[in-house]
Amino acid sequence: MKQIEITSDYQLKAMLELEYKQSHDITEAKMPTNPAQYDLLSMILANYKEGNTLYRIYLKDIEYITGRQWNYEQLKQATQKMGSHMFDIELPDRKRQLWLLSSVEYFEGKGFLEIDLNPKALPIIENIKESGYTSIQLKSTITMTSMYAKRIYGLCCKWASINYKEYSLEEIKRILNLINLQTGEENYKKVYDLKIKVLEVAKRQINEHTNIKFDYELIKKHRSRSFNYVAFYIDKQKAQQSVINFDFTSEQQIFIKDLIVYGFSEYQAELIVPIVSRDQWQIMIDDLNVQIKFKKTTVDKAIPFLCGVLTKKYKIEGLITKNN
């Protein structure tokens, strides 16, 4: 079982610019409704390696892309629901129900979690030759905050080559998990509510954050007196890309941001990260906490204290004379 760490330069570039293949079975499956759940699934799919089930996901990688902070409680709630959520997959000759996750482990204070996939879910993930696949841009999908925008974006990517697709409202509600298949109860039963709270939100976020230009039209078909279909109009557009400083690796760029939040200047942070590892940094923080506990230093003197340690132990010049 191979562990995949999503922190390399190549993978960061892929997160920001490249696309990954997502099976059509997943694109149109009934999915979890929580955006955090879908973002975790997207991170796994974007870094999926055939046959591998164990994936390590760093929170800072997602925060780097989205600009939103995550915490363990949010993730625990998301993965708890993912673990109990049944995925309904429509196949040509049958319906398949499965659970995606086998286990999730959280490493407090380490900034990552490990997700072990259910081996029985791998055929669905890998079924791109038989069912076809959708090319998804990870940055686009996880930058959006609406779950409906994320799902409709996936559908748009599937049909982007022909620029048009019609869905019955019943089908689009099934895909977006707006219908309870057991009770028949619907969310946004009124078409106006579906338009305002789902379609308009998706249109705004897709057009603002993704490489797709999207519009829609509600349609009356088969002599219906009310709207019963929705048409998607889809055009590819060049997505706006973030500027990447390739002088530093992806992990170093995240480390720089952490150091700035801690209180260092950008100049100081860029001097530190090529020389000091995260593990070495954590040892320094543990030592600082001991110093504070025994009143040998104070919180307001933490940065000068750390600068002194870095200068003496790692021979980093310029930390104390600049911005100190």
Side-chain angles (χ1 to χ4, degrees), residues 24 29 31 43 53 72 78 118 150 188 213 234 253 271:
H24 285 336
M31 288 281 200
M43 289 291 290
T53 63
Y72 278 114
N118 175 6
K150 295 173 188 289
Y188 310 129
K213 185 173 177 60
I234 309 150
Q253 291 179 60
L271 288 177

Side-chain angles (χ1 to χ4, degrees), residues 167-170 173 186 189-192 194 217-230:
Y167 286 99
S168 69
L169 293 189
E170 181 179 357
K173 286 181 178 180
E186 295 184 25
K189 190 172 183 178
K190 294 181 179 180
V191 174
Y192 176 81
L194 180 70
E217 179 184 8
L218 292 165
I219 302 173
K220 299 176 182 178
K221 295 186 69 172
H222 311 303
R223 299 183 179 180
S224 174
R225 293 184 177 180
S226 58
F227 295 111
N228 57 353
Y229 276 77
V230 59

Side-chain angles (χ1 to χ4, degrees), residues 253-312:
Q253 291 179 60
I254 295 168
F255 195 7
I256 287 171
K257 290 189 175 184
D258 290 344
L259 291 172
I260 292 172
V261 170
Y262 200 86
F264 288 96
S265 69
E266 183 176 357
Y267 170 86
Q268 291 171 317
E270 291 182 353
L271 288 177
I272 294 168
V273 294
I275 299 173
V276 180
S277 70
R278 279 185 176 277
D279 289 340
Q280 292 168 329
W281 167 254
Q282 189 60 52
I283 292 171
M284 290 178 55
I285 295 301
D286 292 341
D287 184 50
L288 173 63
N289 289 333
V290 171
Q291 299 285 338
I292 293 173
K293 179 178 180 181
F294 290 99
K295 303 185 186 303
K296 294 183 178 181
T297 189
T298 59
V299 174
D300 62 330
K301 295 181 179 179
I303 297 302
F305 172 84
L306 291 170
C307 285
V309 174
L310 289 163
T311 300
K312 183 176 180 179

Side-chain angles (χ1 to χ4, degrees), residues 229-242:
Y229 276 77
V230 59
F232 289 174
Y233 299 94
I234 309 150
D235 286 309
K236 279 275 191 178
Q237 61 182 1
K238 184 177 180 181
Q240 294 182 349
Q241 301 298 341
S242 300

Side-chain angles (χ1 to χ4, degrees), residues 195-254:
K195 176 181 178 180
I196 298 301
K197 298 179 180 180
V198 176
L199 297 173
E200 283 296 320
V201 172
K203 176 181 175 179
R204 182 173 65 253
Q205 292 197 8
I206 289 171
N207 290 339
E208 181 178 351
H209 295 294
T210 81
N211 57 338
I212 292 290
K213 185 173 177 60
F214 167 71
D215 205 350
Y216 69 92
E217 179 184 8
L218 292 165
I219 302 173
K220 299 176 182 178
K221 295 186 69 172
H222 311 303
R223 299 183 179 180
S224 174
R225 293 184 177 180
S226 58
F227 295 111
N228 57 353
Y229 276 77
V230 59
F232 289 174
Y233 299 94
I234 309 150
D235 286 309
K236 279 275 191 178
Q237 61 182 1
K238 184 177 180 181
Q240 294 182 349
Q241 301 298 341
S242 300
V243 177
I244 309 171
N245 184 354
F246 286 105
D247 291 335
F248 298 96
T249 68
S250 61
E251 188 172 3
Q252 286 174 333
Q253 291 179 60
I254 295 168

